[in-house]
Amino acid sequence: EPEVTQTPSHQVTQMGQEVILRCVPISNHLYFYWYRQILGQKVEFLVSFYNNEISEKSEIFDDQFSVERPDGSNFTLKIRSTKLEDSAMYFCASLGWAAGDGYTFGSGTRLTVV
Amino acid sequence: GDSVTQMEGPVTLSEEAFLTINCTYTATGYPSLFWYVQYPGEGLQLLLKATKADDKGSNKGFEATYRKETTSFHLEKGSVQVSDSAVYFCALMIYNQGGKLIFGQGTELSVKP
């Protein structure tokens, strides 16, 4: 069964440093997403990406965040200057064309900002 | 705005007990509804889904029926197992809004032998 792959599984970074979280979505999917889950809390939408541009973003997704699909396979989330409150599990997901299919999520990257 | 509300956890049951996790939603459009499960230390897995009113989603003994009149999508299982211990998330998606998923807060289920 096709998978969404995320790397690394765990990233520790110092406050103020830039981090890039990487995802390889399912190859024939068209929509790509990043979600965040702070420990013990609900899963929150960050951004959706379609046709090489952001289609929607939440208020969490401020100027410190950016996404890119540089080569047609990878889908990255960059945080320019990490803050302690960015510590969370970050999930990438992709969606095919069928409306009711539901997403395929990656296994997540746990980001710890110290 | 669109939202999902789940019953609070944690829910603790004995093995073979009946499970219900309540989920209600508010949506301006016509959402698809989902249950996702998150096992300890793992990511989110789609458990079941329903795309229109009166649809019943089912998988691994779990069921949920899309009830438009009560805006609900309650998760049920007749006989839970220890291996069902996980966090369960109800979610909605309105496809013409770019497919954004809106999650409930999650309900932790603990099944004791």
Side-chain angles (χ1 to χ4, degrees), chain A residues 33 35 37 56 97 99-100 103, chain B residues 36 49 93 95 98-101:
Chain A
Y33 306 85
Y35 287 80
Q37 184 184 29
E56 187 175 355
W97 64 270
Y103 289 17
Chain B
Y36 282 86
K49 64 185 182 189
M93 180 173 75
Y95 194 71
K100 177 176 71 177
L101 270 176

Side-chain angles (χ1 to χ4, degrees), chain A residues 18-67:
Chain A
E18 175 183 284
V19 293
I20 298 176
L21 309 183
R22 302 181 191 280
C23 170
V24 179
I26 293 174
S27 59
N28 62 350
H29 280 187
L30 302 175
Y31 300 86
F32 313 108
Y33 306 85
W34 284 99
Y35 287 80
R36 179 180 83 174
Q37 184 184 29
I38 294 172
L39 186 64
Q41 298 187 23
K42 70 193 293 185
V43 180
E44 300 172 292
F45 168 78
L46 290 178
V47 65
S48 59
F49 191 86
Y50 170 71
N51 200 26
N52 279 320
E53 59 183 23
I54 291 173
S55 50
E56 187 175 355
K57 59 184 181 180
S58 73
E59 56 191 29
I60 302 169
F61 194 89
D62 62 20
D63 291 344
Q64 294 300 311
F65 290 88
S66 62
V67 289

Side-chain angles (χ1 to χ4, degrees), chain A residues 31 33 35 37 40-45 48 55-56 89 91 95-108, chain B residues 3-4 32 34 36 38 41-46 49-51 87 89 93 95 97-106:
Chain A
Y31 300 86
Y33 306 85
Y35 287 80
Q37 184 184 29
Q41 298 187 23
K42 70 193 293 185
V43 180
E44 300 172 292
F45 168 78
S48 59
S55 50
E56 187 175 355
M89 182 74 90
F91 292 106
L95 179 68
W97 64 270
D101 269 359
Y103 289 17
T104 301
F105 279 90
S107 54
Chain B
S3 66
V4 175
S32 295
F34 305 88
Y36 282 86
Q38 186 177 35
E42 298 187 13
L44 295 160
Q45 297 178 27
L46 178 64
K49 64 185 182 189
T51 57
V87 180
F89 291 93
M93 180 173 75
Y95 194 71
Q97 293 181 5
K100 177 176 71 177
L101 270 176
I102 296 171
F103 285 87
Q105 67 268 41

Side-chain angles (χ1 to χ4, degrees), chain B residues 53-89:
Chain B
D54 300 325
D55 270 2
K56 178 186 281 189
S58 61
N59 186 25
K60 300 181 183 178
F62 291 89
E63 292 182 342
T65 301
Y66 189 142
R67 301 281 188 206
K68 189 177 176 185
E69 64 276 11
T70 54
T71 61
S72 64
F73 193 55
H74 304 321
L75 182 68
E76 296 182 336
K77 186 174 187 183
S79 176
V80 293
Q81 306 301 310
V82 172
S83 57
D84 294 326
S85 298
V87 180
Y88 292 81
F89 291 93

